[in-house]
Amino acid sequence: MTVREILHVGNLLLRQRSREVTPAELATPIVQELIDDLIDTMRAANGAGIAAPQVGELLRIATIEVRDNPRYPYKPRIPLTVVVNPIIQPLDDEVVDVNEGCLSVPNLRGNVLRHVNVRVRWLDREGTPHDEVRRGLTAGTFQHECDHLDGVLFLDRVHDTRTLTTWEQFERFHRDAFVARISEFVQRVGS
Ligand code: NI
């Protein structure tokens, strides 16, 4: 149980492709402890997710969880999910314009387009395979974390740099309009 230091944008490790984890490796104490540390670090930072490269480990592992989150009060809940070697496939062309932030990009948010309906395949921490559909903002969260495993940050996907904003200015100028729009979306899509 350790809260690890989160690497920030500019650190070259965030720009590497992380490698797959073998089933034998997944069962080792060192990888299981890394998963525990990711969960602790994500929760301590109030993140909706965190990926192993964000703590400097170039393995294809991420954790996702949304409870009552002060960073993202409009986000639907997501039970704790540990994804190992995830593969994401969009199911159609529908996208949503989402205001995102990232624990590795302190105090900055911006708008990115995310697929609304995705198929995600992964192994859980016991090595059990999953093949499920994720929709709406939850699909966006999965895409954000999987991007980290390929060295991609949300900044790379910001389609209009004029949407970039600090948290303080987001609250001041953008929050109400975004929450109104995205709440309508969440009601329509359901997750
Ligand atoms: Ni992130």
Side-chain angles (χ1 to χ4, degrees), residues 70-71 73-74 169-180:
R71 274 169 68 97
Y74 48 84
Q169 304 311 313
F170 177 76
E171 298 287 340
R172 187 173 168 197
F173 292 112
H174 305 279
R175 181 191 175 76
D176 289 349
F178 175 68
V179 170

Side-chain angles (χ1 to χ4, degrees), residues 151-170:
V152 174
L153 298 175
F154 85 90
L155 294 172
D156 308 331
R157 299 195 184 279
V158 170
H159 55 82
D160 179 352
T161 51
R162 290 172 298 181
T163 66
L164 289 169
T165 170
T166 64
W167 278 86
E168 186 183 15
Q169 304 311 313
F170 177 76

Side-chain angles (χ1 to χ4, degrees), residues 58-73:
L58 296 181
L59 297 172
R60 299 185 82 78
I61 302 173
T63 64
I64 294 167
E65 181 183 51
V66 176
R67 299 187 285 190
D68 289 324
N69 191 321
R71 274 169 68 97
Y72 304 105

Side-chain angles (χ1 to χ4, degrees), residues 32-90:
Q32 291 294 316
E33 278 169 29
L34 169 62
I35 291 169
D36 288 335
D37 291 353
L38 286 171
I39 295 167
D40 292 341
T41 306
M42 169 181 70
R43 287 176 174 169
N46 284 319
I50 195 168
Q54 292 182 272
V55 299
E57 304 289 346
L58 296 181
L59 297 172
R60 299 185 82 78
I61 302 173
T63 64
I64 294 167
E65 181 183 51
V66 176
R67 299 187 285 190
D68 289 324
N69 191 321
R71 274 169 68 97
Y72 304 105
Y74 48 84
K75 265 182 183 273
R77 306 288 174 268
I78 306 176
L80 177 63
T81 310
V82 176
V83 296
V84 179
N85 301 339
I87 296 171
I88 288 205
Q89 287 178 306

